[in-house]
Amino acid sequence: MAEQPASPPQHFIRQIVAADRAAGRHGGQVVTRFPPEPNGYLHLGHAKSICLNFGIAAENGGRCHLRFDDTNPAREDPEYVQSIQDDVRWLGFAWDTLRHASDYFEVFYLGAEKLIRMGLAYVDDLSAEQVREYRGTLTSPGRESPFRNRGIGENLDLFRRMRAGEFADGSRTLRAKIDMAAGNINLRDPAIYRIRKLTHQNTGDAWPIYPMYDYAHCVSDAVEGITHSLCTLEFEDHRPLYDWFLQQLDLPGDPTLTAPLRARGLWLPPNTPQQIEFARGNISYTVMSKRKLLTLVQERLVDGWDDPRMPTLSGLRRRGYTPEAIRTFWERIGISKQNSVIDLGVLEGCVREDLDARAPRRMAVLDPLQLVITNLPPDHGETPVLANHPKDAAFGTRQVPFSARLWIEREDFMERPLPGFHRLAPGGEVRLRGVGIVRCDEVLKDGAGSVTGLRGTLDPDSRPGRPGAERKVKGTIHWVSAAHAVAAEVRLYDRLFDVPDPDDESDGKTYRDHLNPLSCRVVRGFLEPMLAAAAAEERFQFERLGYFVADRHQHAPGKPVFNRIVTLRDTWTHRA
RNA sequence: UGGGGCGUCGCCAAGUGGUAAGGCACUGGAUUUUGAUUCCAGCAUUCGCAGGUUCGAAUCCUGCCGCCCCAGCCA
């Protein structure tokens, strides 16, 4: 049978790139970039862009650069540039070239002087408030600045003095001279440079002026030879500006502009890239804005950027998500220009799918109820052999100590079973995984009537190897031998917010009002002994409970700490 | 009263004039010593609405409606 090769869906960006290659545009090359500003940790939304940019490059035999967009030293921090590199690598991508926009400060400066000489940029003395007034509104045109028609010589002199640090912060800007009446507000003489006497993480105090995004970004793309500059929808309005700067500057045709890069060994063949916008991917029950994530961290609403409930990549990593699951997730979602909110369940489905195939099975009891098997001697001991994976023999087997006194999950017993309940009930039978069929004979209670333990008998004929082992019972439950159990801290994580759209403030409430109080429940559980030796970040399926990971930071052999990654799919509790 | 986008199943998303892909979710049923997994089947006479063009329209035209983004010396 001719299986269709699983070719990735042809979303519109892949189509554009394929068409460009077919037409020989950009010399048939594909060069992309992931350009984060180092002002926060990477999150799932960034992962979409990372997968897209690195993916498109890889699929087309091209390259993808990592570029830090560090043009605003007021907000940026080296802590973030380190974490971003760690996260991109962890996600599974390797950049071709690592750059900073600050590597191009000389180029930006030369380009700005060129615009001035072309009569396309001017130094404006208007204050920020005045600029705002002159800009007009969405529906009414702006007015030209009184400084708009200064001579080229005066502009050049003033700009050089800005660069020399002669003027106070905010006292002047360099602006592009485009059209104060443009319907697109980005074209109403946008700022190119502002004065900010701040120490920059890379360039120190060398520059008292810093370029604006619209100018720096397109030039950075051009000097790196980027062919397809992929960004999110809100930059659609900026594309005319992107194109305008590049057309005026003509970086491929003007070697003087990139001369500083030759001198520093950073030169690459310049190109005139094409900006293409796609929609961000929002996910239900979470927030993705850097501002809100920062607030959660700063106000200690979560336990740092890598809190396992955070949608940051470091948070997901600590939660136990695999890079593969995250990549599968975004591939499954696709790329379009439609604003959307993706069901959190899709993400969860991706980790389950990945972990089902790769996580060894173990047993752990998180809400213990004691079961004593009365037809076994109190000192009975044996070590049944259990498969580490039900479908993959390559995972091998392990020995799990078993005795007459067990912990089982409290939830696996119902004194008055609901119709359809398949587990243990007074007088009922259930299979103990790998051991045999046990019948509940007696329910022990305390003075208040709460169940404190169970007593039962194990059907000797149902033990492994006996003919009766094949006997069918409705349910199979997991267990841990009380005498051998290892106590552990287990964190049961759930969604951070209890409403699908925490960003929605139409009811007067904000995301802070919707924090889920049950997003992290810490319990003491009992593990089968092997688990005590787990390595940090090792993942397991605790049978019938879900997937768990040994905490990256706090787990230690002898002091096990596990995080619940995600529960198993459950078709029973929903209908019960 | 401006400019730029977007409206296809509960959630994503293909489709670009020839008679609605796929995934997730969901619902049946089979297998199962995880109520998991796996398997098999079902799941849009209809593409925001209304007209029009055409033998034929989700795709073209016209007009409405709805949602998102833009008035930082942020990115």
Side-chain angles (χ1 to χ4, degrees):
Chain A
M1 215 201 290
E3 281 296 303
Q4 288 296 319
S7 56
Q10 287 304 300
H11 60 243
F12 78 102
I13 293 180
R14 287 211 252 242
Q15 288 173 13
I16 290 171
V17 171
D20 285 350
R21 287 186 72 192
R25 281 190 276 273
H26 307 292
Q29 295 292 298
V30 175
V31 186
T32 58
R33 98 271 95 112
F34 172 60
E37 183 187 15
N39 68 343
Y41 278 62
L42 259 27
H43 54 61
L44 274 168
H46 294 108
K48 180 177 188 181
S49 174
I50 294 168
C51 292
L52 211 216
N53 278 292
F54 282 91
I56 287 281
E59 288 162 20
N60 291 281
R63 343 185 284 270
C64 183
H65 300 178
L66 174 61
R67 181 173 70 232
F68 291 102
D69 215 338
D70 56 349
T71 55
N72 185 356
R75 322 192 330 157
E76 295 148 13
D77 192 290
E79 174 195 354
Y80 299 128
V81 345
Q82 187 54 52
S83 74
I84 288 168
Q85 293 181 55
D86 294 345
D87 289 343
V88 171
R89 254 183 279 187
W90 176 77
L91 235 204
F93 297 100
W95 49 88
D96 238 90
T97 304
L98 186 147
R99 296 287 176 86
H100 293 76
S102 53
D103 293 334
Y104 312 133
F105 278 178
E106 288 292 347
V107 179
F108 302 149
Y109 181 80
L110 259 21
E113 284 209 351
K114 177 172 179 173
L115 291 173
I116 293 170
R117 275 185 264 104
M118 292 172 81
L120 296 173
Y122 62 97
V123 172
D124 195 349
D125 300 357
L126 252 29
S127 69
E129 306 77 71
Q130 290 172 311
V131 166
R132 196 180 316 125
E133 287 160 21
Y134 275 77
R135 186 159 31 231
T137 71
L138 291 179
T139 53
S140 61
R143 287 140 53 213
E144 297 187 348
S145 164
F147 303 98
R148 195 176 200 257
N149 294 310
R150 288 216 249 234
I152 289 174
E154 186 186 359
N155 278 318
L156 227 33
D157 172 65
L158 253 15
F159 184 54
R160 286 173 181 166
R161 289 165 62 194
M162 278 170 64
R163 194 262 173 273
E166 287 187 30
F167 307 122
D169 276 20
S171 60
R172 284 179 230 261
T173 54
L174 182 71
R175 292 229 260 165
K177 191 190 283 190
I178 305 181
D179 178 6
M180 288 307 292
N184 181 346
I185 288 181
N186 296 119
L187 266 16
R188 319 243 261 230
D189 290 10
I192 300 175
Y193 268 96
R194 77 282 219 183
I195 302 173
R196 285 285 175 282
K197 291 175 179 167
L198 288 173
T199 301
H200 186 280
Q201 51 171 321
N202 283 329
T203 60
D205 296 318
W207 295 86
I209 55 173
Y210 292 96
M212 301 293 293
Y213 166 86
D214 282 308
Y215 177 64
H217 200 85
C218 59
V219 173
S220 300
D221 283 344
V223 303
E224 288 182 17
I226 301 301
T227 58
H228 301 269
S229 180
L230 313 180
C231 63
T232 44
L233 253 27
E234 67 270 28
F235 293 104
E236 247 165 345
D237 286 345
H238 297 241
R239 189 175 352 117
L241 230 199
Y242 186 102
D243 293 337
W244 187 87
F245 279 127
L246 293 186
Q247 185 195 102
Q248 306 304 338
L249 257 20
D250 184 25
L251 287 133
D254 186 349
T256 63
L257 293 178
T258 47
L261 301 181
R262 284 186 187 278
R264 295 177 53 198
L266 295 176
W267 189 88
L268 289 165
N271 186 49
T272 300
Q274 172 186 6
Q275 176 179 301
I276 304 168
E277 310 84 12
F278 62 93
R280 303 177 114 118
N282 305 296
I283 298 172
S284 60
Y285 296 99
T286 192
V287 296
M288 212 82 96
S289 91
K290 278 191 186 177
R291 197 196 94 238
K292 289 176 181 171
L293 295 178
L294 214 211
T295 303
L296 291 173
V297 172
Q298 287 181 335
E299 301 191 8
R300 320 267 329 150
L301 270 10
V302 296
D303 190 23
W305 286 102
D306 71 344
D307 184 297
R309 296 165 295 179
M310 290 281 274
T312 50
L313 296 185
S314 54
L316 288 159
R317 174 178 181 175
R318 192 155 171 212
R319 176 73 167 266
Y321 271 72
T322 59
E324 290 80 1
I326 294 168
R327 287 189 251 125
T328 301
F329 170 70
W330 285 119
E331 189 56 55
R332 197 164 277 182
I333 293 311
I335 300 291
S336 76
K337 299 188 72 160
Q338 224 152 303
N339 288 319
S340 65
V341 180
I342 302 144
D343 271 354
L344 180 61
V346 179
L347 213 212
E348 295 178 336
C350 290
V351 230
R352 288 194 185 105
E353 185 176 303
D354 189 31
L355 260 17
D356 175 56
R358 59 201 284 182
R361 312 290 129 118
R362 295 289 184 268
M363 291 196 290
V365 173
L366 302 183
D367 185 10
L369 175 65
Q370 195 167 86
L371 166 64
V372 174
I373 296 170
T374 54
N375 61 336
L376 248 27
D379 61 347
H380 175 84
E382 63 177 296
T383 50
V385 174
L386 273 76
N388 287 329
H389 193 110
K391 286 180 297 188
D392 189 347
F395 279 77
T397 59
R398 70 188 187 286
Q399 295 190 311
V400 184
F402 168 72
S403 64
R405 219 162 44 84
L406 306 174
W407 294 115
I408 66 169
E409 212 68 59
R410 187 165 286 272
E411 208 184 58
D412 287 337
F413 171 78
M414 281 187 100
E415 190 173 14
R416 296 172 52 202
L418 255 28
F421 185 73
H422 289 175
R423 288 106 88 173
L424 207 52
E429 286 186 318
V430 79
R431 183 183 298 280
L432 292 176
R433 164 127 259 180
V435 170
I437 297 168
V438 70
R439 189 185 61 236
C440 173
D441 302 318
E442 197 180 337
V443 180
L444 308 176
K445 295 183 180 178
D446 62 16
S450 304
V451 177
T452 55
L454 305 175
R455 291 166 66 81
T457 47
L458 185 60
D459 173 6
D461 199 44
S462 70
R463 308 302 314 277
R466 302 300 303 276
E470 303 300 312
R471 183 157 71 87
K472 301 292 179 196
V473 282
K474 281 283 177 52
T476 298
I477 64 172
H478 57 94
W479 51 270
V480 173
S481 164
H484 305 86
V486 173
E489 175 175 327
V490 180
R491 293 137 177 192
L492 304 176
Y493 291 109
D494 198 354
R495 44 193 62 161
L496 224 204
F497 296 94
D498 53 21
V499 292
D501 183 7
D503 289 320
D504 179 16
E505 300 184 357
S506 59
D507 59 355
K509 294 184 173 178
T510 74
Y511 67 106
R512 312 159 59 99
D513 300 315
H514 295 300
L515 283 163
N516 175 8
L518 268 27
S519 62
C520 177
R521 283 172 46 225
V522 180
V523 302
R524 292 290 288 179
F526 291 118
L527 315 179
E528 65 169 84
M530 263 195 97
L531 247 11
E537 295 202 274
E538 210 175 339
R539 302 177 184 89
F540 301 92
Q541 183 194 101
F542 290 179
E543 290 207 39
R544 306 206 309 126
L545 295 176
Y547 296 96
F548 293 75
V549 67
D551 188 82
R552 187 182 172 192
H553 301 310
Q554 286 156 336
H555 171 85
K559 183 190 166 290
V561 177
F562 281 88
N563 300 330
R564 183 170 71 195
I565 305 166
V566 67
T567 60
L568 254 31
R569 184 163 165 267
D570 181 356
T571 49
W572 160 251
T573 55
H574 293 148
R575 61 182 73 179

